[in-house]
Amino acid sequence: MKAFRCQVCRQSILFENTKCESCGHQLGYLPAQGAMTAVEPAGAGWIALADGTREYRFCKNWELHGCNWMVEKGGASEYCLACQHNRTVPDLSDDKRHAAWRKVEVAKRRLFYSLIRLNLPTPNASDHDGEPLVFDFLAEEPSQKPVLTGHSSGLITIALKEADDPERERMRDEMGEPYRTLLGHFRHEIGHYYWDRIVPNSRHLGPFRALFGDEREDYSAALKRHYDAGPPADWRQNHISAYASCHPWEDFAETFAHYLHIVDTLETGRSAGLVVRRDDGSPARVDFDPYSYPDINEMIDNWLDISFALNNINRSMGQPDIYPFVISSVVKEKLGFVQNLLQNHARPRDTVVTRVA
């Protein structure tokens, strides 16, 4: 995530902020420019100080305190580029569900930040695409079956209970998942979406099977084996997580999620000017754009040094490791596959800057 500053007072602001706490200006996000902006009223709309050439309005979900993204005034949709993909939201008249939905939307916007930075296609239901990207955010009802987070043919379902911190911690402990977060769910499920969209019937299928395994393996049987017997003893040598070892589809989705974890955190470190010292005294810094840089080896080498330092910082505060995972040589190769897949599937860019001075 890039660093942002208020255009009026230069106060540092966060991606989720709706108001500058220093000068009091209303804030919004312009996805096309990748900019958080202070805004000022202009008739029935707003002038964005990061782009004074046109008027904007807030996404319709802003009225429900569920979004801080903006759209051009007079545009075709009342909803922003991220909220246009919502199909089902919970009953927002229920305060608890409303609060949980807001947490879900925060994670979804961070996902879309990455998809936009990667320049990936994100068709919505009105685009007449064969497999649009659609979201259902569902609360469980006593008379119905439990809601399961998952993906099917372009539809990503997020169980609202994942926004309940105690419930998510219970599931994290019960399922042995050290990194169970709302953002992690979004990044995992979008991996399934892009696998379905890109890999089958493409030149990538053979290399995928050689690296991840044959996805034609019975999925239900593989899941049952995983939950009954657990992962193989040597799973860390070949997979980023225990769950990734259960089936090639899950291996890809987990690897995809970790690729997004890594590039977005590296961008945050780059924006902050983060430098850590390696054991030999040399500096590890991010002087390239992780979202477009082609060298997976350099990216992972920097990530290992930076994540080690971050883990030590967390331990100094009595907190668990921020990144409790091992990246083996096999996992690095899988991350490289994901990187190559996304860079080949990205829409054309006007300009790609790969390194900064």
Side-chain angles (χ1 to χ4, degrees):
M1 180 67 66
K2 293 191 296 185
F4 302 106
R5 289 187 179 274
C6 174
Q7 287 78 18
V8 177
C9 66
R10 305 308 298 166
Q11 171 75 23
S12 294
I13 53 178
L14 299 174
F15 186 61
E16 293 79 16
N17 287 157
T18 58
K19 181 181 179 182
C20 177
E21 297 301 328
S22 176
C23 69
H25 269 75
Q26 189 77 40
L27 300 173
Y29 183 69
L30 305 178
Q33 291 88 341
M36 285 290 293
T37 181
V39 299
E40 294 180 345
W46 300 85
I47 293 294
L49 301 189
D51 177 15
T53 63
R54 67 203 82 185
E55 288 187 27
Y56 289 88
R57 54 186 169 79
F58 279 97
C59 172
K60 188 173 177 60
N61 280 333
W62 179 69
E63 300 169 7
L64 300 168
H65 308 286
C67 187
N68 66 344
W69 285 27
M70 308 194 80
V71 296
E72 285 190 38
K73 187 178 176 182
S77 176
E78 294 182 296
Y79 294 94
C80 71
L81 289 177
C83 290
Q84 288 177 26
H85 296 267
N86 290 2
R87 188 179 76 168
T88 307
V89 300
D91 178 5
L92 300 181
S93 66
D94 181 300
D95 289 346
K96 186 175 181 180
R97 291 182 178 183
H98 189 183
W101 170 72
R102 290 174 64 186
K103 290 183 180 180
V104 170
E105 291 291 348
V106 167
K108 187 195 73 181
R109 291 197 299 277
R110 282 197 170 250
L111 170 70
F112 270 86
Y113 172 89
S114 293
L115 300 183
I116 293 169
R117 289 284 284 110
L118 290 165
N119 221 30
L120 293 174
T122 55
N124 61 46
S126 65
D127 288 333
H128 308 293
D129 185 90
E131 191 169 299
L133 176 60
V134 181
F135 293 93
D136 281 353
F137 304 137
L138 303 180
E140 292 191 355
E141 304 294 347
S143 60
Q144 298 177 359
K145 294 180 180 179
V147 176
L148 299 178
T149 292
H151 167 264
S152 178
S153 302
L155 171 63
I156 292 177
T157 300
I158 301 292
L160 200 64
K161 64 186 177 183
E162 293 289 351
D164 184 306
D165 294 341
E167 175 65 14
R168 191 176 61 255
E169 287 300 311
R170 183 192 66 78
M171 289 188 286
R172 185 208 305 264
D173 183 65
E174 184 178 287
M175 303 183 77
E177 298 177 350
Y179 199 90
R180 189 182 184 96
T181 65
L182 270 173
L183 183 54
H185 281 310
F186 275 103
R187 287 172 171 170
H188 175 99
E189 300 306 336
I190 203 69
H192 286 302
Y193 173 76
Y194 283 113
W195 191 94
D196 281 358
R197 189 175 182 88
I198 303 173
V199 179
N201 305 313
S202 78
R203 62 182 175 84
H204 302 289
L205 184 58
F208 168 84
R209 288 175 175 167
L211 191 54
F212 291 86
D214 193 335
E215 82 290 350
R216 292 170 293 187
E217 176 190 1
D218 187 288
Y219 181 72
S220 297
L223 284 183
K224 185 177 187 305
R225 181 181 65 247
H226 174 76
Y227 287 117
D228 287 348
D234 63 348
W235 67 264
R236 288 180 179 83
Q237 298 175 26
N238 300 296
H239 304 91
I240 191 63
S241 69
Y243 186 61
S245 69
C246 70
H247 189 275
W249 281 338
E250 299 302 340
D251 193 6
F252 178 84
E254 284 286 271
T255 305
F256 192 104
H258 279 258
Y259 182 78
L260 295 188
H261 292 334
I262 290 167
V263 296
D264 199 48
T265 308
L266 284 176
E267 186 185 48
T268 304
R270 177 192 180 193
S271 289
L274 181 65
V275 179
V276 300
R277 297 291 174 185
R278 298 187 173 100
D279 290 342
D280 63 3
S282 64
R285 61 166 58 90
V286 187
D287 58 355
F288 53 86
D289 179 357
Y291 276 101
S292 61
Y293 197 61
D295 190 338
I296 192 65
N297 292 307
E298 183 174 352
M299 280 181 57
I300 297 305
D301 287 347
N302 277 272
W303 173 244
L304 292 175
D305 290 316
I306 290 171
S307 62
F308 181 80
L310 294 175
N311 286 343
N312 267 337
I313 290 171
N314 260 31
R315 291 187 182 199
S316 296
M317 293 292 292
Q319 297 293 324
D321 288 352
I322 194 171
Y323 192 76
F325 301 95
V326 174
I327 298 181
S328 68
S329 59
V330 175
V331 170
K332 183 191 287 188
E333 189 175 358
K334 291 176 178 178
L335 289 165
F337 178 90
V338 170
Q339 180 188 62
N340 180 66
L341 193 74
L342 296 186
Q343 292 184 352
N344 276 278
H345 196 61
R347 295 169 297 183
R349 295 177 184 269
D350 294 332
T351 305
V352 175
V353 179
T354 58
R355 185 175 285 279
V356 295

